[in-house]
Amino acid sequence: MLWPLFLLVTAIHAELCQPDAENAFKVRLSIKTALGDKAYAWDINEEYLFRAMVAFSMRKVPKRETTEIAHVLLCNVTQRVSFWFVVTDPSKNHTLPAAEIQSAIRMNRNRINNAFSLSDQTLEFLKIPSTLAPPMDPSVPIWIIIFGVIFCIIIVATTLLILSGIWQSRRKNMEPSEMVDTEDKRENMITVENGIPCDSLDAKGGHINDAFMTEDERLTPL
Amino acid sequence: MEKARPQWANPLQFVFACISYAVGLGNVWRFPYLCQMYGGGSFLIPYLIMLVVEGMPLLYMELAVGQRMRQGSIGAWRTISPYLGGVGVASVLVSFFLSMYYNVINAWAFWYLFHSFQNPLPWSVCPLNGNRTGYDAECEAASSTQYFWYRKTLNISPSIQESGAVQWEPALCLILAWLVVYLCILRGTESTGKVEQLANPRTWINAATQIFFSLGLGFGSLIAFASYNEPSNDCQKHAIIVSLINSATSIFASIVTFSIYGFKATFNYENCLNKMILLLTNSFDLEDGFLTASNLEQVKDHLASAYPSKYSEVLPYIKNCSLESELDTAVQGTGLAFIVYSEAIKNMEVSQLWSVLYFFMLLMLGIGSMLGNTAAILTPLTDSKVISSHLPKEVISGLVCLISCAVGMLFTMEAGNYWFDIFNDYAATLSLLLIVLVETIAVCYVYGLRRFESDLKAMTGRALSWYWKVMWAGVSPLLIVSLFAFYLSDYILSGTLRYQAWDAFQGQLVTKDYPAYALAVIGLLVASSTMCIPLGALGTFITRHLKRGDPAPVA
């Protein structure tokens, strides 16, 4: 007597949960990729756990606290492992809206992942985008700190070099100051050669050939 | 009495300065690219032939001129002939153009260096998009390293017309780079001596060009360095040493670069395979782990025959992964240094260490070459009595650095990289060929080869070998003329000039035409330096003519 009822229920289930059905989501697991040797086989017990996690997530949604595991339907399980699921309301005639399921799963994504020892990439809910963890953002970017350090070192080194150059030239200026007095007297007299001041001979007409102004004279000075 | 000219502390300092100038970024990012494009190992043959026939003779000639004339480029050429002062001015102008844009590379190297102290490396992960559901769209379309280069470093605009604003981050790095250069040149050049397809005619042309520019001929830097030598210095030996070390560095750098190419190609190939496996596994709901690299092809054929309709849906997304095609992609220039290398580094173990070492190396290469460039500009300026009598050396150096830095801010704008490419491709190429050609002809025919030979003999005490004489008088000028003619005809025949612009939506480079004002700038760059030579000669001619017109002094 119960058989026709059972058949009716499974028939309704089959209609509600179908690939690309309204409010249905596809789930894809890559257990071998994630765990390698420690991969577990996907069987009906794992499916039960999954349905429990989805029911748990739905229970956290206001007005859906009465969701039971039996309300979560799975279908089309493949080798991949992938399957479709829907969540029905207590009357088991309608499926819950996709938006509610989406937000519920997103809120509890971490818990669901951890239950299966998987991650966002290896346990995929197609059409439910996961919130990615933002990269670490320090208040002061690290590069500015290093830039500041190097910048200060360079400024200090440059200032030191410039200042030491100024000190050195001041020291040089102080030494020959005694000798300058005697030379000044000589410079005030204009040297005259053949009645022509030597300065004017220098300025006009003569070209200075730089190639001959070498310091290391190979010939001894006359 | 002439103020004593500063000198190198010992000949080794001079050699190291020349090496650090000649060994630059071109050894790392240009030579390996040329090797790959023109037949791999067989490129070495034209390269070495050009080294011996063109590179060494011209290098020796520049060093000898500097050592003999004991002045920077302007004074040296004016001494050879008063009409050739323009050659020196052209050299200084080209060096000035180079220093304006070259230091931007150092700024980028600093930027990457400072960003290497993070875990994970910032160019290894894509940033998240607005609502944190996925990665940034541009980063998805391109790759994380390309995104970091084009968006975070350059913040590049879609075309050269859209200039955008000056980006403060690269501007800061540029200021730092110029401060470092100023620090090094502050004490004068003596402190820069730090411890430093055969049948295809294009192959030979590229070998000749590479040697030419790799040694840094024609900028006046070598003349400037050599002018601080003792007259008796054996510059022949040094010329050979510097050119051999420069080439050895190029070859060594290409070994490293090829291994990086191989690493990157293998990594990308395996990535591509994994993507294809995932695509097929998900589309056909195959068992996880069933598809591997070895059975991929068989399974693809099986699926194509078993589920033809579904397979045809997936077909547009299927790529044929091939190691050869990955190896064939060769990149040169900033793309190699900042994208390919950083991508390879991010996949290595302890990537922060390799990253710091690599960008530090780039910095050393770049700053070494910058010091040579600034020496080429500063030596004629400090030699000139007009300028050096009014301003001390530190102020002249500071002014040159400040002006170059200010103009260099142009390259930190959003469209800056496009202007950088313009300067990189056109500021130095044609003008240098002409400058070196005029230099060679000036030394051999205007000054007189015999006179120069006897000068050298008196200076160094060694006779000039017949080999150098033949090269200087005949072979090298002919080579340069043919290079020059080839490039001119190439520019004329290829019609309008085009450039590669970054398209943010597609995540790749697209080719665009230069606007009119960019072409005008290119023309101005080439013309301004080449015109210095005839204008200098003309100027001297006019001043001499006017002087002859003056009444003779009273005797």
Side-chain angles (χ1 to χ4, degrees):
Chain A
M1 196 186 69
L2 284 170
W3 276 106
L5 197 60
F6 182 70
L7 284 172
L8 187 63
V9 167
T10 48
I12 295 172
H13 279 192
E15 277 173 22
L16 288 174
C17 176
Q18 269 184 9
D20 295 322
E22 199 189 343
N23 302 330
F25 289 95
K26 184 168 181 183
V27 182
R28 191 149 63 202
L29 288 91
S30 312
I31 309 174
K32 284 210 188 103
T33 313
L35 302 170
D37 289 334
K38 301 187 204 128
Y40 47 82
W42 186 261
D43 53 14
I44 44 172
N45 296 324
E46 304 283 346
E47 284 178 30
Y48 191 83
L49 176 59
F50 182 82
R51 290 160 70 206
M53 292 307 296
V54 174
F56 160 75
S57 311
M58 289 313 296
R59 285 182 141 206
K60 294 215 161 170
V61 176
K63 291 194 215 155
R64 299 289 176 206
E65 289 91 343
T66 53
T67 315
E68 298 290 332
I69 297 181
H71 297 157
V72 183
L73 309 173
L74 260 58
C75 52
N76 277 63
V77 184
T78 66
Q79 274 182 318
R80 171 64 183 83
V81 174
S82 68
F83 49 85
W84 292 81
F85 78 93
V86 289
V87 184
T88 60
D89 62 352
S91 70
K92 295 199 185 163
N93 287 330
H94 312 283
T95 52
L96 295 184
E100 281 187 25
I101 305 182
Q102 215 179 45
S103 64
I105 302 279
R106 284 191 80 182
M107 297 283 187
N108 300 290
R109 191 59 191 273
N110 222 17
R111 301 289 297 271
I112 302 176
N113 287 349
N114 286 340
F116 292 96
S117 316
L118 297 173
S119 68
D120 278 353
Q121 284 78 37
T122 41
L123 170 56
E124 295 167 78
F125 287 82
L126 302 189
K127 288 197 238 138
I128 303 184
S130 50
T131 310
L132 298 168
M136 194 188 71
D137 209 10
S139 50
V140 179
I142 298 179
W143 78 270
I144 288 198
I145 299 174
I146 305 174
F147 170 84
V149 168
I150 308 265
F151 193 77
C152 292
I153 295 176
I154 302 282
I155 294 275
V156 165
T158 313
T159 322
L160 280 176
L161 269 185
I162 294 180
L163 285 176
S164 74
I166 297 176
W167 289 331
Q168 269 185 10
S169 60
R170 273 206 200 138
R171 245 181 274 148
K172 272 194 203 153
N173 283 342
M174 288 204 288
E175 274 164 35
S177 58
E178 303 106 42
M179 301 201 331
V180 166
D181 294 331
T182 48
E183 282 181 7
D184 263 349
K185 287 188 193 151
R186 266 187 241 156
E187 276 173 18
N188 285 335
M189 296 194 314
I190 305 171
T191 37
V192 173
E193 172 126 351
N194 283 350
I196 306 165
C198 286
D199 297 341
S200 61
L201 279 177
D202 228 3
K204 281 202 200 146
H207 292 288
I208 300 175
N209 190 336
D210 302 316
F212 284 95
M213 283 172 70
T214 51
E215 304 138 31
D216 301 7
E217 291 288 349
R218 290 184 180 267
L219 306 167
T220 49
L222 293 169
Chain B
M1 195 190 73
E2 191 190 307
K3 200 175 67 171
R5 191 175 186 78
Q7 280 194 347
W8 300 107
N10 54 46
L12 205 60
Q13 225 187 21
F14 161 67
V15 174
F16 279 141
C18 286
I19 292 174
S20 103
Y21 163 69
V23 174
L25 295 165
N27 299 67
V28 171
W29 73 31
R30 176 87 178 140
F31 181 80
Y33 165 78
L34 288 176
C35 265
Q36 181 158 3
M37 296 306 285
Y38 293 105
S42 61
F43 181 73
L44 286 179
I45 297 176
Y47 179 77
L48 290 173
I49 292 178
M50 288 297 169
L51 172 70
V52 170
V53 163
E54 180 200 4
M56 280 191 208
L58 293 175
L59 180 66
Y60 179 30
M61 189 190 74
E62 286 216 1
L63 291 182
V65 166
Q67 191 168 307
R68 169 70 188 87
M69 303 303 162
R70 316 209 68 221
Q71 294 184 74
S73 55
I74 299 182
W77 295 109
R78 206 183 288 150
T79 310
I80 286 196
S81 158
Y83 294 100
L84 287 179
V87 176
V89 176
S91 284
V92 171
L93 201 58
V94 173
S95 291
F96 186 62
F97 289 151
L98 191 82
S99 66
M100 280 198 288
Y101 80 82
Y102 200 82
N103 221 12
V104 179
I105 304 173
N106 290 330
W108 292 330
F110 268 123
W111 169 265
Y112 270 81
L113 180 67
F114 295 149
H115 277 85
S116 306
F117 292 94
Q118 293 172 5
N119 186 27
L121 288 175
W123 54 86
S124 58
V125 286
C126 276
L128 303 176
N129 62 12
N131 51 8
R132 293 215 208 130
T133 56
Y135 296 113
D136 184 277
E138 189 180 350
C139 199
E140 283 280 333
S143 70
S144 53
T145 36
Q146 282 182 313
Y147 177 81
F148 187 74
W149 168 245
Y150 286 110
R151 191 52 48 213
K152 294 282 173 168
T153 312
L154 300 175
N155 197 14
I156 204 164
S157 60
S159 72
I160 199 171
Q161 281 97 324
E162 298 154 57
S163 304
V166 171
Q167 307 296 305
W168 65 270
E169 297 101 334
L172 275 182
C173 292
L174 183 64
I175 293 174
L176 179 66
W178 273 112
L179 278 175
V180 171
V181 169
Y182 181 59
L183 179 66
C184 294
I185 61 176
L186 193 53
R187 270 312 161 83
T189 316
E190 62 268 23
S191 67
T192 66
K194 332 181 295 281
V195 169
E196 321 147 61
Q197 258 192 36
L198 302 178
N200 181 3
R202 283 229 167 221
T203 315
W204 290 87
I205 287 164
N206 275 305
T209 315
Q210 174 61 14
I211 272 291
F212 193 90
F213 294 117
S214 176
L215 288 172
L217 304 169
F219 285 101
S221 309
L222 298 162
I223 296 182
F225 281 152
S227 69
Y228 296 114
N229 271 341
E230 277 188 24
S232 55
N233 183 43
D234 185 4
C235 51
Q236 175 183 282
K237 185 174 73 173
H238 292 150
I240 297 177
I241 292 175
V242 169
S243 45
L244 283 178
I245 291 183
N246 180 55
S247 297
T249 319
S250 293
I251 296 173
F252 175 75
S254 35
I255 297 176
V256 175
T257 309
F258 287 154
S259 61
I260 298 276
Y261 278 154
F263 175 83
K264 180 176 176 291
T266 314
F267 192 82
N268 284 349
Y269 171 67
E270 285 175 4
N271 241 16
C272 174
L273 278 180
N274 285 337
K275 273 201 201 142
M276 285 304 109
I277 289 175
L278 195 64
L279 175 70
L280 288 174
T281 313
N282 285 346
S283 316
F284 293 95
D285 282 322
L286 305 167
E287 191 189 325
D288 185 24
F290 168 67
L291 263 180
T292 59
S294 38
N295 64 6
L296 182 60
E297 288 304 312
Q298 296 168 289
V299 175
K300 266 194 346 198
D301 295 332
H302 167 77
L303 288 172
S305 52
Y307 308 98
S309 54
K310 210 169 183 185
Y311 193 79
S312 54
E313 279 171 39
V314 182
L315 196 57
Y317 301 103
I318 295 185
K319 274 190 286 191
N320 271 327
C321 301
S322 148
L323 192 56
E324 282 74 25
S325 65
E326 295 286 338
L327 284 171
D328 273 340
T329 56
V331 192
Q332 61 162 332
T334 50
L336 173 64
F338 294 107
I339 299 180
V340 172
Y341 263 89
S342 44
E343 196 167 311
I345 287 173
K346 80 169 198 226
N347 295 320
M348 297 178 184
E349 303 295 312
V350 202
S351 41
Q352 280 79 9
L353 173 68
W354 303 120
S355 180
V356 168
L357 285 176
Y358 170 67
F359 289 110
F360 194 66
M361 175 203 82
L362 277 191
L363 267 176
M364 289 295 105
L365 291 175
I367 291 189
S369 302
M370 271 308 294
L371 296 180
N373 272 318
T374 42
I377 304 172
L378 286 176
T379 308
L381 287 180
T382 48
D383 285 346
S384 140
K385 296 167 188 66
V386 171
I387 300 177
S388 58
S389 54
H390 291 302
L391 298 168
K393 195 176 55 181
E394 287 87 353
V395 176
I396 301 179
S397 318
L399 277 177
V400 170
C401 288
L402 192 66
I403 296 173
S404 302
C405 187
V407 178
M409 287 295 159
L410 167 75
F411 303 111
T412 59
M413 294 197 307
E414 287 179 28
N417 196 40
Y418 303 127
W419 291 106
F420 176 85
D421 283 333
I422 286 183
F423 271 73
N424 196 21
D425 290 335
Y426 301 108
T429 39
L430 273 182
S431 345
L432 277 185
L433 285 171
L434 189 64
I435 290 173
V436 176
L437 180 65
V438 174
E439 284 184 4
T440 326
I441 294 177
V443 169
C444 293
Y445 300 107
V446 176
Y447 190 76
L449 189 55
R450 277 186 227 280
R451 191 170 151 205
F452 196 60
E453 185 186 351
S454 59
D455 281 348
L456 283 181
K457 186 157 184 200
M459 202 170 62
T460 64
R462 316 163 72 93
L464 193 63
S465 152
W466 63 268
Y467 176 75
W468 302 117
K469 286 189 270 192
V470 168
M471 289 299 137
W472 290 350
V475 180
S476 303
L478 278 175
L479 261 175
I480 300 177
V481 167
S482 42
L483 272 182
F484 193 73
F486 169 78
Y487 278 115
L488 261 185
S489 56
D490 202 41
Y491 282 151
I492 294 170
L493 285 175
S494 60
T496 175
L497 297 167
R498 320 181 95 201
Y499 69 106
Q500 305 275 78
W502 176 253
D503 185 330
F505 300 109
Q506 291 181 43
Q508 59 184 29
L509 293 166
V510 293
T511 320
K512 288 191 182 173
D513 287 330
Y514 276 125
Y517 63 88
L519 291 173
V521 169
I522 295 176
L524 204 65
L525 274 178
V526 177
S528 54
S529 39
T530 46
M531 282 301 123
C532 282
I533 304 177
L535 282 177
L538 197 65
T540 318
F541 179 73
I542 291 176
T543 40
R544 278 200 160 174
H545 204 65
L546 287 173
K547 271 192 188 166
R548 265 186 233 138
D550 275 348
V554 175

